[in-house]
Amino acid sequence: MRERRLRAIAIMIAAVAVFSFMDGLLKLLAAYYPPMQVAALRGATSLPFTLLPVLLRGRWRDLKPRRWRMHLLRGLLSVLVMGGFIYAVRALSLANAYAVFLSAPLIVAALSVPLLGERIDWRNWIAILAGLVGVLTMLRPSASGLSTLGTLAALVGAIAYAISAIAVRVLTRSDTTVSVVFWTVGLMTVFTTAISAPGWVPIEHAHWKWLLGLGVLAAVAQYLLTEAFRSAPPSVVTPFEYTALLWGVAIDRLVWHVLPSARVCFGGGLVMATGLYLIWHQRQLAGGEYARETWQPAAEKGRMLGYSSTVEVVARKQEEDSP
C-alpha cells in the first residue's frame, strides 16, 4: 500500500509538471495570438487525443450526452477558464498566474454554501477568509495596469473553474468521463473559435510544432493525472497539485528569467496553506469514506478540483430527482 501511494504521488507530481510545461507553451503562443484564439487552438489540439481511445475501442456510444444543459454550462464556463487563464499568463509570469488560480478550491468551498446549501464550520470559514486575504494581497493594484488586469483575469478564471468543479460532479453521475471531457473541450473550442474568428491571426509556420506539443502534452498530462487518482485516494494526491506553483517559478526563471515578487509569494503562500488545510480538514471529517471515494478528473485543465462530500451528496440527490 505504501509503495502504491508513493507511486501515485510521483505520478501526480509528473502530471502537474507536464501541465505546467503545457501552460508555458500557452504563454509563448499568447505573445503572438489573441487569448481566445489560443484557447481555441488549445481545444482543437486536444480533441484528436480525446477521441483516439474511443476510436481504438469502438465505443462511440460513450460520447452520448445525457444532460445537454450541464454540458453547455461547462462549455461556457470553460471559455472563461481558458480565456482568463491565457490572458493571465500573457500579462503575468506563470507563477503569478498560478498563485491566483490556485484559489479555486477556496472558491469551491465558499460557493458551496449559497449554491449547494452546504454548512461550513468556523474553522473552514477562517481558512477561506485567510486565503481570500492572500488573493486580495495579490490583487493590489500595481504600477502596471496590464499586470492588474492579468491578475483579475486569473481570478475570473478561478471562479469559473470552481463553478465548473461543482457541475462536473453532477455530470459524471449520468455521463461517462470521456463524454464530459469531449463535450466540454469540444464546446469550448466551438465557442472560442466563434469569438476569435473576426480577428483571427494566421498561424505562423514555426508555431505548428508548438501546437503539436500542446496536444501531446495535454494527452500525457491527462493520462498521468487519471493514473494518479486511480492509484491512490484523492486525499493522498490532491495536495501535490500545489507543486504547480513551484514548477511555474522554475519555468519562469529558466525561460523568462523572472521571479515572483514578495507580495505574490506572501499571497500565494496564504492561498496554498489554506487550501491544504481545507483538504486536511475535509479528510478528518470524512474519515475512511473519504479515502475510499473514487475520483473522476475534470476536463479542461485537470487540476485543483478537490473532493467535496457535499457536492457528492447534492449530485446524487439531483440524479435521483432527475427524470
Side-chain angles (χ1 to χ4, degrees), residues 99-176:
V100 179
F101 207 89
L102 291 177
S103 63
L106 303 176
I107 301 171
V108 170
L111 290 179
S112 67
V113 175
L115 294 182
L116 303 177
E118 181 174 357
R119 293 184 178 181
I120 298 179
D121 65 27
W122 63 272
R123 297 178 186 84
N124 280 4
W125 274 120
I126 290 176
I128 292 170
L129 292 175
L132 294 180
V133 167
V135 174
L136 291 175
T137 300
M138 292 182 285
L139 281 173
R140 183 172 64 84
S142 65
S144 170
L146 183 63
S147 177
T148 301
L149 288 175
T151 307
L152 288 172
L155 182 60
V156 169
I159 293 171
Y161 199 58
I163 298 173
S164 181
I166 295 174
V168 75
R169 299 301 297 180
V170 178
L171 264 177
T172 51
R173 283 289 172 178
S174 59
D175 292 58
T176 64

Side-chain angles (χ1 to χ4, degrees), residues 77-91:
L77 288 170
S78 294
V79 173
L80 293 177
V81 173
M82 291 303 303
F85 181 77
I86 292 169
Y87 185 91
V89 298
R90 185 176 73 167

Side-chain angles (χ1 to χ4, degrees), residues 146-221:
L146 183 63
S147 177
T148 301
L149 288 175
T151 307
L152 288 172
L155 182 60
V156 169
I159 293 171
Y161 199 58
I163 298 173
S164 181
I166 295 174
V168 75
R169 299 301 297 180
V170 178
L171 264 177
T172 51
R173 283 289 172 178
S174 59
D175 292 58
T176 64
T177 300
V178 69
S179 172
V180 173
V181 172
F182 173 76
W183 289 108
T184 298
V185 176
L187 289 171
M188 184 272 290
T189 304
V190 171
F191 294 151
T192 52
T193 300
I195 294 171
S196 59
W200 189 269
V201 178
I203 308 299
E204 296 182 19
H205 179 74
H207 295 162
W208 282 105
K209 61 179 179 293
W210 292 358
L211 297 179
L212 177 61
L214 272 182
V216 172
L217 289 175
V220 172

Side-chain angles (χ1 to χ4, degrees), residues 60-78:
W60 294 102
R61 64 181 181 274
D62 289 346
L63 295 177
K64 181 179 179 181
R66 298 183 181 277
R67 298 187 179 185
W68 266 110
R69 292 181 180 178
M70 293 296 293
H71 284 291
L72 286 171
L73 173 62
R74 293 202 78 234
L76 291 170
L77 288 170
S78 294

Side-chain angles (χ1 to χ4, degrees), residues 236-259:
V236 173
V237 295
T238 297
F240 292 91
E241 292 177 330
Y242 284 94
T243 58
L245 190 56
L246 301 179
W247 287 111
V249 171
I251 295 172
D252 284 336
R253 180 60 179 170
L254 291 173
V255 179
W256 290 280
H257 309 292
V258 297
L259 289 173

